[in-house]
Amino acid sequence: MKTVHIITRLVLGGAQENTLITCKLLAQRGHDVTLITGPAIGPEGELFEQTKNQKYKTIVIDKLIRPICPLYDSISYFQIKKHLRQFQPDIVHTHSAKAGILGRFAAYAIRRETNDERRVTKIIHTIHGLAFHPYQNNLLNKFYIAVEKSAAKRTDFFISVADAMTNQALAAGIGEPDKFVTAYSAVEEDDFLRPIPDTQKRQFRQRYGISEDAVVLITIARLFMLKGHDYIIESAKTLSKRYKNAVWLFVGDGNLSEHYKKQVCQLNLADRIKFTGLLSPKEIPLAIASSDILVHCSLREGLARALPQAMLCGKPAISFDVDGAKEVVNENTGRLIEPKNVEQLTKACAELIENKNLRDKLGAAGRESVKRKFAPQTMVDTIEAVYRKLLE
C-alpha cells in the first residue's frame, strides 16, 4: 500500500473528473489516498459531492481558488506544506495548472527537509493541458513556460492525457523524454455504454423543443473564448438553410453565454440553436444519446473528454485538428478538420447530416476504438505502474 496525496482544484471539468476517478480506484486498490482541493463554489459543488462517502480522505484549503491571487496562493502553498509535512506521503500527485505548481513546489520543499532517504516523497504531475498556447500574449506565454520549467525540475515524472501534451511540453523545454508516459483521461464508461430508453431521449428533446426527426449536432464545452462556438454558429448560418431538420445544441455555461444567445437571436436562429445551460455530469450521457453528431471546435484542448464520451455513445465526432484530437478522431470515427476552417466544418457537418448510415458506421467504429483506451482501469493501471517504478 502506498500513501498518496493528490492535489487539484475541483472545478467542473474533465481534469477534475479524471482526478476523482483516480482517487476512487486507487483507494479501492488499497492505497491510502488523500485529496487536497479548494472550496466547492457554485457549480463546482457538483463534483465536490462525489468526494463524500468514499474510501479516501478530502482536505479543503479555502484559499486554493482558481484565479491567480498572490496572497491566497501564498497561504495555500504554506497550508499544503503543513499537510504534507504532517503525513509524509510516498507520492504527491498533482493535477490542474495552479494547484499543480503550488503542490509540486510544496512537496519538493518538504522533500529537502527530509533526512531519511527511505521516505523520500516522489512527485508526479498529470498534464491535462498547458497554460501556454498560440492564442495568448507572447510575454505571458514566456512567463508560464518559465514557471513550468522550474516546476519540472521538482517533478520526478509526468503523466500526459495525450501524446500531444508530451510533445508540446518537450518542445518548450519542459521535462525530459524518459520521464513522460501517456494515460488517456478515464471516462466512467458504464454511464455512456448503457442503453438509454427512447422515451427518455424523446423527453430530453422535448425539454428543448427539438422534434423527434431532427438531426441534432451537440457541442459540450464552456461558453468561453477559444471554445469555438463562433465557428459553429457561422457554419449553422449556411447549414440551417439547406437542412430544415438540423438543430444545434450547446451544452454548457460561461461568460459568453449571453453574447451567443443574443447573436443567435439576431441571426433568427433561436429555433435552430438551443442552449441547455450547465448540465450535471450525470446528464451528459443522456444529452449525447439524444443527439446525432458531436461537433467540437475548441482551439486548445489537451484531449477533450467530449470526444471519447460521444464515441462511447456510438456517435461520430467532428473536431478541429488541435492537440490530442487526432489521437481519437480519424476518418473511421468522424471528421478531423483544419482549425478555424468554417468551409471544412460546414462540409463535414453536411456530409453527416445527410447520411445516417455513415453516422452509424462511424459511431460504431468509434465506440470500439475508445472502450479500452479510456477505461478507468486502464488509466489507473498506468498510474500505478509509474508509482511502482519510482518507489522501486
mmCIF file with all atom_site columns, all heavy atoms in Angstrom, residues 102-115:
data_model
loop_
_atom_site.group_PDB
_atom_site.id
_atom_site.type_symbol
_atom_site.label_atom_id
_atom_site.label_alt_id
_atom_site.label_comp_id
_atom_site.label_asym_id
_atom_site.label_entity_id
_atom_site.label_seq_id
_atom_site.pdbx_PDB_ins_code
_atom_site.Cartn_x
_atom_site.Cartn_y
_atom_site.Cartn_z
_atom_site.occupancy
_atom_site.B_iso_or_equiv
_atom_site.pdbx_formal_charge
_atom_site.auth_seq_id
_atom_site.auth_comp_id
_atom_site.auth_asym_id
_atom_site.auth_atom_id
_atom_site.pdbx_PDB_model_num
ATOM 1   N N   . LEU A 1 102 ? 1.716  24.846 -7.174  1.00 0.00 ? 102 LEU A N   1
ATOM 2   C CA  . LEU A 1 102 ? 1.835  25.006 -5.721  1.00 0.00 ? 102 LEU A CA  1
ATOM 3   C C   . LEU A 1 102 ? 2.151  23.672 -5.049  1.00 0.00 ? 102 LEU A C   1
ATOM 4   O O   . LEU A 1 102 ? 3.003  23.600 -4.162  1.00 0.00 ? 102 LEU A O   1
ATOM 5   C CB  . LEU A 1 102 ? 0.526  25.573 -5.154  1.00 0.00 ? 102 LEU A CB  1
ATOM 6   C CG  . LEU A 1 102 ? 0.132  26.984 -5.598  1.00 0.00 ? 102 LEU A CG  1
ATOM 7   C CD1 . LEU A 1 102 ? -1.234 27.362 -5.022  1.00 0.00 ? 102 LEU A CD1 1
ATOM 8   C CD2 . LEU A 1 102 ? 1.180  28.006 -5.161  1.00 0.00 ? 102 LEU A CD2 1
ATOM 9   N N   . GLY A 1 103 ? 1.468  22.616 -5.502  1.00 0.00 ? 103 GLY A N   1
ATOM 10  C CA  . GLY A 1 103 ? 1.674  21.300 -4.893  1.00 0.00 ? 103 GLY A CA  1
ATOM 11  C C   . GLY A 1 103 ? 3.071  20.767 -5.095  1.00 0.00 ? 103 GLY A C   1
ATOM 12  O O   . GLY A 1 103 ? 3.683  20.208 -4.172  1.00 0.00 ? 103 GLY A O   1
ATOM 13  N N   . ARG A 1 104 ? 3.597  20.946 -6.295  1.00 0.00 ? 104 ARG A N   1
ATOM 14  C CA  . ARG A 1 104 ? 4.941  20.423 -6.567  1.00 0.00 ? 104 ARG A CA  1
ATOM 15  C C   . ARG A 1 104 ? 6.017  21.202 -5.826  1.00 0.00 ? 104 ARG A C   1
ATOM 16  O O   . ARG A 1 104 ? 6.971  20.627 -5.293  1.00 0.00 ? 104 ARG A O   1
ATOM 17  C CB  . ARG A 1 104 ? 5.203  20.418 -8.079  1.00 0.00 ? 104 ARG A CB  1
ATOM 18  C CG  . ARG A 1 104 ? 4.496  19.267 -8.793  1.00 0.00 ? 104 ARG A CG  1
ATOM 19  C CD  . ARG A 1 104 ? 4.775  19.270 -10.271 1.00 0.00 ? 104 ARG A CD  1
ATOM 20  N NE  . ARG A 1 104 ? 4.020  20.297 -10.972 1.00 0.00 ? 104 ARG A NE  1
ATOM 21  C CZ  . ARG A 1 104 ? 4.252  20.684 -12.222 1.00 0.00 ? 104 ARG A CZ  1
ATOM 22  N NH1 . ARG A 1 104 ? 5.266  20.153 -12.899 1.00 0.00 ? 104 ARG A NH1 1
ATOM 23  N NH2 . ARG A 1 104 ? 3.497  21.592 -12.807 1.00 0.00 ? 104 ARG A NH2 1
ATOM 24  N N   . PHE A 1 105 ? 5.881  22.519 -5.785  1.00 0.00 ? 105 PHE A N   1
ATOM 25  C CA  . PHE A 1 105 ? 6.863  23.318 -5.053  1.00 0.00 ? 105 PHE A CA  1
ATOM 26  C C   . PHE A 1 105 ? 6.823  22.984 -3.556  1.00 0.00 ? 105 PHE A C   1
ATOM 27  O O   . PHE A 1 105 ? 7.870  22.875 -2.903  1.00 0.00 ? 105 PHE A O   1
ATOM 28  C CB  . PHE A 1 105 ? 6.611  24.814 -5.274  1.00 0.00 ? 105 PHE A CB  1
ATOM 29  C CG  . PHE A 1 105 ? 7.317  25.370 -6.471  1.00 0.00 ? 105 PHE A CG  1
ATOM 30  C CD1 . PHE A 1 105 ? 6.794  25.236 -7.741  1.00 0.00 ? 105 PHE A CD1 1
ATOM 31  C CD2 . PHE A 1 105 ? 8.531  26.031 -6.340  1.00 0.00 ? 105 PHE A CD2 1
ATOM 32  C CE1 . PHE A 1 105 ? 7.447  25.748 -8.853  1.00 0.00 ? 105 PHE A CE1 1
ATOM 33  C CE2 . PHE A 1 105 ? 9.204  26.544 -7.445  1.00 0.00 ? 105 PHE A CE2 1
ATOM 34  C CZ  . PHE A 1 105 ? 8.659  26.402 -8.710  1.00 0.00 ? 105 PHE A CZ  1
ATOM 35  N N   . ALA A 1 106 ? 5.613  22.797 -3.020  1.00 0.00 ? 106 ALA A N   1
ATOM 36  C CA  . ALA A 1 106 ? 5.481  22.468 -1.601  1.00 0.00 ? 106 ALA A CA  1
ATOM 37  C C   . ALA A 1 106 ? 6.069  21.090 -1.315  1.00 0.00 ? 106 ALA A C   1
ATOM 38  O O   . ALA A 1 106 ? 6.799  20.899 -0.326  1.00 0.00 ? 106 ALA A O   1
ATOM 39  C CB  . ALA A 1 106 ? 4.008  22.516 -1.195  1.00 0.00 ? 106 ALA A CB  1
ATOM 40  N N   . ALA A 1 107 ? 5.770  20.108 -2.155  1.00 0.00 ? 107 ALA A N   1
ATOM 41  C CA  . ALA A 1 107 ? 6.277  18.747 -1.947  1.00 0.00 ? 107 ALA A CA  1
ATOM 42  C C   . ALA A 1 107 ? 7.799  18.709 -2.027  1.00 0.00 ? 107 ALA A C   1
ATOM 43  O O   . ALA A 1 107 ? 8.459  18.006 -1.244  1.00 0.00 ? 107 ALA A O   1
ATOM 44  C CB  . ALA A 1 107 ? 5.664  17.811 -2.993  1.00 0.00 ? 107 ALA A CB  1
ATOM 45  N N   . TYR A 1 108 ? 8.357  19.464 -2.966  1.00 0.00 ? 108 TYR A N   1
ATOM 46  C CA  . TYR A 1 108 ? 9.814  19.485 -3.123  1.00 0.00 ? 108 TYR A CA  1
ATOM 47  C C   . TYR A 1 108 ? 10.476 20.127 -1.912  1.00 0.00 ? 108 TYR A C   1
ATOM 48  O O   . TYR A 1 108 ? 11.533 19.673 -1.447  1.00 0.00 ? 108 TYR A O   1
ATOM 49  C CB  . TYR A 1 108 ? 10.183 20.242 -4.398  1.00 0.00 ? 108 TYR A CB  1
ATOM 50  C CG  . TYR A 1 108 ? 11.637 20.132 -4.768  1.00 0.00 ? 108 TYR A CG  1
ATOM 51  C CD1 . TYR A 1 108 ? 12.140 18.982 -5.368  1.00 0.00 ? 108 TYR A CD1 1
ATOM 52  C CD2 . TYR A 1 108 ? 12.523 21.179 -4.505  1.00 0.00 ? 108 TYR A CD2 1
ATOM 53  C CE1 . TYR A 1 108 ? 13.482 18.880 -5.707  1.00 0.00 ? 108 TYR A CE1 1
ATOM 54  C CE2 . TYR A 1 108 ? 13.863 21.083 -4.842  1.00 0.00 ? 108 TYR A CE2 1
ATOM 55  C CZ  . TYR A 1 108 ? 14.337 19.935 -5.446  1.00 0.00 ? 108 TYR A CZ  1
ATOM 56  O OH  . TYR A 1 108 ? 15.671 19.839 -5.779  1.00 0.00 ? 108 TYR A OH  1
ATOM 57  N N   . ALA A 1 109 ? 9.845  21.188 -1.384  1.00 0.00 ? 109 ALA A N   1
ATOM 58  C CA  . ALA A 1 109 ? 10.402 21.846 -0.193  1.00 0.00 ? 109 ALA A CA  1
ATOM 59  C C   . ALA A 1 109 ? 10.409 20.890 0.995   1.00 0.00 ? 109 ALA A C   1
ATOM 60  O O   . ALA A 1 109 ? 11.383 20.835 1.757   1.00 0.00 ? 109 ALA A O   1
ATOM 61  C CB  . ALA A 1 109 ? 9.577  23.092 0.137   1.00 0.00 ? 109 ALA A CB  1
ATOM 62  N N   . ILE A 1 110 ? 9.335  20.110 1.145   1.00 0.00 ? 110 ILE A N   1
ATOM 63  C CA  . ILE A 1 110 ? 9.262  19.131 2.231   1.00 0.00 ? 110 ILE A CA  1
ATOM 64  C C   . ILE A 1 110 ? 10.308 18.039 2.019   1.00 0.00 ? 110 ILE A C   1
ATOM 65  O O   . ILE A 1 110 ? 10.962 17.586 2.972   1.00 0.00 ? 110 ILE A O   1
ATOM 66  C CB  . ILE A 1 110 ? 7.858  18.509 2.311   1.00 0.00 ? 110 ILE A CB  1
ATOM 67  C CG1 . ILE A 1 110 ? 6.827  19.563 2.701   1.00 0.00 ? 110 ILE A CG1 1
ATOM 68  C CG2 . ILE A 1 110 ? 7.836  17.334 3.284   1.00 0.00 ? 110 ILE A CG2 1
ATOM 69  C CD1 . ILE A 1 110 ? 7.072  20.201 4.044   1.00 0.00 ? 110 ILE A CD1 1
ATOM 70  N N   . ARG A 1 111 ? 10.490 17.645 0.768   1.00 0.00 ? 111 ARG A N   1
ATOM 71  C CA  . ARG A 1 111 ? 11.467 16.593 0.475   1.00 0.00 ? 111 ARG A CA  1
ATOM 72  C C   . ARG A 1 111 ? 12.869 17.027 0.875   1.00 0.00 ? 111 ARG A C   1
ATOM 73  O O   . ARG A 1 111 ? 13.648 16.212 1.383   1.00 0.00 ? 111 ARG A O   1
ATOM 74  C CB  . ARG A 1 111 ? 11.413 16.231 -1.013  1.00 0.00 ? 111 ARG A CB  1
ATOM 75  C CG  . ARG A 1 111 ? 12.286 15.042 -1.351  1.00 0.00 ? 111 ARG A CG  1
ATOM 76  C CD  . ARG A 1 111 ? 11.841 14.378 -2.636  1.00 0.00 ? 111 ARG A CD  1
ATOM 77  N NE  . ARG A 1 111 ? 12.304 15.069 -3.826  1.00 0.00 ? 111 ARG A NE  1
ATOM 78  C CZ  . ARG A 1 111 ? 12.051 14.652 -5.064  1.00 0.00 ? 111 ARG A CZ  1
ATOM 79  N NH1 . ARG A 1 111 ? 11.310 13.562 -5.269  1.00 0.00 ? 111 ARG A NH1 1
ATOM 80  N NH2 . ARG A 1 111 ? 12.502 15.310 -6.105  1.00 0.00 ? 111 ARG A NH2 1
ATOM 81  N N   . ARG A 1 112 ? 13.186 18.269 0.675   1.00 0.00 ? 112 ARG A N   1
ATOM 82  C CA  . ARG A 1 112 ? 14.525 18.762 1.030   1.00 0.00 ? 112 ARG A CA  1
ATOM 83  C C   . ARG A 1 112 ? 14.727 18.798 2.537   1.00 0.00 ? 112 ARG A C   1
ATOM 84  O O   . ARG A 1 112 ? 15.862 18.789 3.018   1.00 0.00 ? 112 ARG A O   1
ATOM 85  C CB  . ARG A 1 112 ? 14.743 20.140 0.424   1.00 0.00 ? 112 ARG A CB  1
ATOM 86  C CG  . ARG A 1 112 ? 14.757 20.129 -1.092  1.00 0.00 ? 112 ARG A CG  1
ATOM 87  C CD  . ARG A 1 112 ? 15.215 21.443 -1.666  1.00 0.00 ? 112 ARG A CD  1
ATOM 88  N NE  . ARG A 1 112 ? 16.614 21.698 -1.345  1.00 0.00 ? 112 ARG A NE  1
ATOM 89  C CZ  . ARG A 1 112 ? 17.291 22.767 -1.764  1.00 0.00 ? 112 ARG A CZ  1
ATOM 90  N NH1 . ARG A 1 112 ? 16.692 23.677 -2.517  1.00 0.00 ? 112 ARG A NH1 1
ATOM 91  N NH2 . ARG A 1 112 ? 18.537 22.937 -1.440  1.00 0.00 ? 112 ARG A NH2 1
ATOM 92  N N   . GLU A 1 113 ? 13.612 18.836 3.273   1.00 0.00 ? 113 GLU A N   1
ATOM 93  C CA  . GLU A 1 113 ? 13.719 18.829 4.737   1.00 0.00 ? 113 GLU A CA  1
ATOM 94  C C   . GLU A 1 113 ? 13.944 17.421 5.280   1.00 0.00 ? 113 GLU A C   1
ATOM 95  O O   . GLU A 1 113 ? 14.375 17.250 6.421   1.00 0.00 ? 113 GLU A O   1
ATOM 96  C CB  . GLU A 1 113 ? 12.421 19.369 5.365   1.00 0.00 ? 113 GLU A CB  1
ATOM 97  C CG  . GLU A 1 113 ? 12.117 20.817 5.041   1.00 0.00 ? 113 GLU A CG  1
ATOM 98  C CD  . GLU A 1 113 ? 10.754 21.238 5.601   1.00 0.00 ? 113 GLU A CD  1
ATOM 99  O OE1 . GLU A 1 113 ? 10.111 20.403 6.280   1.00 0.00 ? 113 GLU A OE1 1
ATOM 100 O OE2 . GLU A 1 113 ? 10.341 22.382 5.344   1.00 0.00 ? 113 GLU A OE2 1
ATOM 101 N N   . THR A 1 114 ? 13.602 16.410 4.478   1.00 0.00 ? 114 THR A N   1
ATOM 102 C CA  . THR A 1 114 ? 13.618 15.019 4.944   1.00 0.00 ? 114 THR A CA  1
ATOM 103 C C   . THR A 1 114 ? 15.019 14.432 4.857   1.00 0.00 ? 114 THR A C   1
ATOM 104 O O   . THR A 1 114 ? 15.648 14.425 3.807   1.00 0.00 ? 114 THR A O   1
ATOM 105 C CB  . THR A 1 114 ? 12.655 14.166 4.106   1.00 0.00 ? 114 THR A CB  1
ATOM 106 O OG1 . THR A 1 114 ? 11.359 14.760 4.155   1.00 0.00 ? 114 THR A OG1 1
ATOM 107 C CG2 . THR A 1 114 ? 12.574 12.745 4.645   1.00 0.00 ? 114 THR A CG2 1
ATOM 108 N N   . ASN A 1 115 ? 15.504 13.909 5.987   1.00 0.00 ? 115 ASN A N   1
ATOM 109 C CA  . ASN A 1 115 ? 16.845 13.310 6.007   1.00 0.00 ? 115 ASN A CA  1
ATOM 110 C C   . ASN A 1 115 ? 16.805 11.812 5.754   1.00 0.00 ? 115 ASN A C   1
ATOM 111 O O   . ASN A 1 115 ? 17.802 11.210 5.384   1.00 0.00 ? 115 ASN A O   1
ATOM 112 C CB  . ASN A 1 115 ? 17.503 13.588 7.368   1.00 0.00 ? 115 ASN A CB  1
ATOM 113 C CG  . ASN A 1 115 ? 17.801 15.074 7.563   1.00 0.00 ? 115 ASN A CG  1
ATOM 114 O OD1 . ASN A 1 115 ? 18.200 15.754 6.618   1.00 0.00 ? 115 ASN A OD1 1
ATOM 115 N ND2 . ASN A 1 115 ? 17.581 15.564 8.776   1.00 0.00 ? 115 ASN A ND2 1
#
